[in-house]
Structures are given as C-alpha cells and as structure tokens.
Amino acid sequence: MATLKAFDADVLSAKAAVQSARINLEYTKAASPVPGRVGISQVTEGAYVQASNATLMATVQQLDPMYVDVLQSSNDLLRLRKALGSGELGRDKEGRARVKLLLDDGTEYAQEGALQFSDVSVSPSTSSVTIRAIFPNPNGILLPGLFVRARLVEGSKSDAILVPQPAVTRNSKGEATAFVVGAGDKVELRVLETGRTVGSDWLVLDGLKAGDRVIMNNLQRIRPGAAIKPVPMPATGPATAATASADTQKR
C-alpha cells in the first residue's frame, strides 16, 4: 500500500508539472490588451525577453477611434466655454462641440469629430491648455503623430463684422486700432475690440458698425483729421465691413 500511494503521488506530481509547463508556455505569447495595429518589432526572433526588465517588443496603436490633441491658449479656452454655455457652438447628439479636421495637405477630413475634454492644468510657460477631440477613423487615414488642424463648428452670426488683418494695427497701449473714413472724408482713428481671426480677417466685437469705411492702403501716410479721397474696394462678403483705399489729397 505504501508503494501504491507513492506511485499515486508521482502521478499527481507529473500532472502538476505538465500543468506548470502549459502555464509557462502561455507566457511565451504576448497578447495585446487593446485592439489595433502593431508597429515595427523591437526584438528579433529568438531574442531573450524578460518580464522583470519590461523589454519593449512592439507598440500597438489603436487607430479607430483616434484622439487629436490641440494646444489652446487659456483665453481661447475661456471663450470656448462661454460659447458652449451660450449655445453658439454647434453640438452633436450627445451635447459635445463638433470638430472638423484639416489634413496637412489642406484637404478636409471626411469624418466629423467631437470635443471630448480639456486638461486640468495650464502650462506656465506658454499659458496654454491641451484639449482633446475624438474622431472616427474607419479607413485608417489618421495616423499617430500626423499633423492636423482642428476647427470647431460654430453657429453663424448674421451681424458679425470682419476686417482684413492688414487694416488693423496696434497703438502704444497694445490696443487694436483702425483708420476709418469719417464725416467730410476725414480720417478717424478708432479703437477696436477684436475677438479672433477668421481666415485672413479679424472679427471685430466693438468699435465699428455696419457701413463704416475702413482704410486699407497708405496707412503710413495718413493721420487722424487729414482730408482724403477714398476709393471704394470690392467687399469680400456680406459680413465684412466696407473698406476703402485712401489716397491722401495734396494741400
């Protein structure tokens, strides 16, 4: 009976050894914790890999959906939050701000994304905050590290005034100013409150009204109160302030 029990113990020990070998064999297969595409292998076949040293074998990238991180100034972030609260920004079905992408070659990405969240800290050196948008990427067009431009989808503003950037200068106080054709075709200097840039124009929040004629040319030669002979320029759109090319009169 003692010999029989010893043989039974040997059988159980052999089964335990087989199970242990199966477990160790599974450790030779590295399973990715996330779905995606694997990059270039960092080790060669047959190389010794240790779990204790955390040897990097390859990197798996999740390509769908894709996250887009954008640096935004703290002032723009405050404006963005106000726009979201007031409903000026377009939202998706889940109430998130809609975002579009411009690829590096200038073309627009076909899929529309949504603003997901912003970082909780501001960089003290650049006064900027990282905000993240999420985009579907079913065709794998977006790749990690790709340079893109994000554009928030906003609502339209019918009474907006856009002024070409060359017509806006800064005074000694850092205020935005523009020369305007006043009464009697005399030059007036207006202090403007500008919002943000829209293409090549400034969005003017205050200081101009519909019908004002902004001077575009000869800005170095004119002075406030000087009589000029304005020459109308073609308007760029219905939301743009009227512009004029000013020729100074000889006295």
Side-chain angles (χ1 to χ4, degrees), residues 94-179:
E94 298 179 5
R96 300 175 300 180
R98 296 154 52 203
V99 187
K100 290 187 176 182
L101 278 187
L102 292 178
L103 302 178
D104 201 11
D105 60 357
T107 59
E108 185 173 300
Y109 182 57
Q111 301 287 339
E112 189 176 89
L115 191 64
Q116 193 175 40
F117 73 93
S118 64
D119 201 356
V120 295
S121 60
V122 179
S123 173
S125 58
T126 61
S127 187
S128 61
V129 181
T130 300
I131 60 176
R132 172 169 289 181
I134 184 171
F135 283 84
N137 190 32
N139 299 323
I141 297 177
L142 300 178
L143 297 175
L146 185 68
F147 179 80
V148 294
R149 292 181 176 88
R151 178 179 294 170
L152 290 173
V153 181
E154 301 187 25
S156 61
K157 189 175 182 181
S158 59
D159 58 347
I161 295 179
L162 301 178
V163 175
Q165 293 186 29
V168 180
T169 58
R170 299 281 175 177
N171 58 19
S172 59
K173 298 180 180 179
E175 299 171 324
T177 60
F179 289 112

Side-chain angles (χ1 to χ4, degrees), residues 5 8 11 131 175 183 189 192 209:
K5 295 296 184 182
D8 289 341
V11 172
I131 60 176
E175 299 171 324
L189 181 63
L192 310 179
K209 62 181 183 296

Side-chain angles (χ1 to χ4, degrees), residues 22-30:
R22 288 175 178 171
I23 294 174
N24 291 333
L25 182 61
E26 290 298 323
Y27 288 153
T28 63
K29 300 177 182 179

